[in-house]
C-alpha cells in the first residue's frame, strides 16, 4: 500500500511541466561550464564571474559582457551590450506577470528567474497550474545548475580547452527546439515561427547583437495585434 502511495505521489509531482523544466535546466545548466571558462579567460576573476551568473543571470547578456571585455572594450560598453540583450526579459516579464499573479518577495524572485528557459517552459503548457509549475521548476533549476556549472568552468579554466567541442551550446539549442516543436501544430504557428526565424537570420549580419531577437519579438507582437482573435483564443487555450 505504501509503495502504491509513493508511486502515485511521484506521478503527481513528475508532471509534463516538471519533466520539461528539469530537462531544460540540465541542458542549459551544462552550458554554464562554457561561460565560466570563457569568463576567466577574458580576465575576470572567480568572484566576478560568479557575480555575473548570480546577479545578471541571463546567458546571452553574460556572454555579451565578457565578449566586450575580452575584446578590450570598456566596462560601460560591456554593460550596454549586455543590457541590450537583456531587454527581451522585460518583454517576457509582462507575459509572466499575468500568468503567475504573484506579489511581494515572490514577485521579485519571479522577476529574477524570468528568462528564456522559464518563459518557454511555462508557455509550452496547456493549463494554468502546469504553467506555474513549469516556470518555477525551470527557473529554480536553471539558476541552481547555471551557477554550479559556472563555478566548475571557472575553476577548471584553461584545462577544458575549447568548450565548444563538447557540444554544450548545441544541447541548449536542442532543448529549445524540443519546447517549440509541440506548439507547431497548425499552419499559422509554423508560418509565424518561420517568419521570425527569417527576420532574425537576415538581421544578424546587419545590426548589433541583441537587435535580431527584438525584431523577431516585434514580428510576434505585430501578429498578435493584427490577429487579436486568434491570439486571444490561443491564450485562453493555454490557460
Amino acid at each position: 500500500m505504501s509503495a502504491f502511495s509513493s508511486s502515485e505521489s511521484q506521478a503527481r509531482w513528475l508532471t509534463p511541466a516538471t519533466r520539461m523544466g528539469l530537462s531544460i535546466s540540465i541542458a542549459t545548466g551544462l552550458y554554464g561550464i562554457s561561460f565560466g571558462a570563457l569568463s576567466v579567460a577574458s580576465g575576470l576573476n572567480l568572484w566576478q564571474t560568479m557575480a555575473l551568473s548570480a546577479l545578471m543571470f541571463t546567458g546571452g547578456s553574460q556572454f555579451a559582457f565578457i565578449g566586450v571585455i575580452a575584446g578590450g572594450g570598456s566596462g560601460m560598453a560591456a554593460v550596454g551590450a549586455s543590457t541590450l540583450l537583456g531587454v527581451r526579459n522585460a518583454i517576457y516579464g509582462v507575459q509572466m506577470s499575468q500568468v503567475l499573479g504573484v506579489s511581494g518577495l515572490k514577485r521579485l524572485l519571479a522577476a529574477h528567474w524570468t528568462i528564456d528557459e522559464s518563459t518557454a517552459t511555462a508557455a509550452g503548457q496547456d493549463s494554468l497550474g502546469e504553467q506555474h509549475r513549469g516556470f518555477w521548476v525551470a527557473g529554480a533549476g536553471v539558476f541552481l545548475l547555471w551557477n554550479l556549472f559556472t563555478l566548475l568552468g571557472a575553476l577548471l579554466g584553461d584545462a577544458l580547452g575549447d568548450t565548444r567541442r563538447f557540444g554544450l551550446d548545441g544541447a541548449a539549442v536542442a532543448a529549445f527546439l524540443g519546447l517549440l516543436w509541440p506548439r507547431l501544430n497548425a499552419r499559422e504557428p509554423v508560418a509565424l515561427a518561420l517568419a521570425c526565424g527569417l527576420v532574425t537570420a537576415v538581421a544578424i549580419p546587419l545590426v548589433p547583437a541583441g537587435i535580431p531577437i527584438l525584431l523577431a519579438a516585434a514580428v510576434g507582437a505585430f501578429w498578435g495585434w493584427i490577429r487579436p482573435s486568434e491570439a486571444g483564443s490561443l491564450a485562453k487555450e493555454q490557460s
Side-chain angles (χ1 to χ4, degrees), residues 43-70:
L44 274 66
N45 63 33
L46 176 63
W47 296 111
Q48 290 170 330
T49 297
M50 293 308 301
L52 282 177
S53 280
L55 302 177
M56 184 178 286
F57 186 50
T58 171
S61 296
Q62 291 176 229
F63 278 107
F65 186 94
I66 63 173
V68 172
I69 295 297

Side-chain angles (χ1 to χ4, degrees), residues 49-59 61-62 86 88-90 92-94 96-97 100 102 104-119 135-136 138-144 146-147:
T49 297
M50 293 308 301
L52 282 177
S53 280
L55 302 177
M56 184 178 286
F57 186 50
T58 171
S61 296
Q62 291 176 229
R88 70 190 189 281
N89 291 343
Y92 300 155
V94 174
M96 288 296 97
S97 176
L100 298 175
V102 292
L105 292 177
K106 200 170 183 179
R107 185 180 181 87
L108 292 176
L109 185 60
H112 192 50
W113 286 355
T114 299
I115 54 175
D116 297 324
E117 293 80 8
S118 59
T119 302
F135 175 87
W136 291 111
V142 172
F143 183 79
L144 176 62
W146 179 261
N147 281 276

Side-chain angles (χ1 to χ4, degrees), residues 188-214:
E188 190 164 8
V190 169
L192 179 60
L194 290 175
C196 290
L198 179 62
V199 168
T200 302
V202 171
I204 284 175
L206 302 176
V207 298
I211 296 296
I213 193 171
L214 296 181

Side-chain angles (χ1 to χ4, degrees), residues 76-98:
M76 289 301 297
V79 170
S82 60
T83 300
L84 184 61
L85 276 168
V87 168
R88 70 190 189 281
N89 291 343
I91 300 174
Y92 300 155
V94 174
Q95 178 187 3
M96 288 296 97
S97 176
Q98 297 175 347

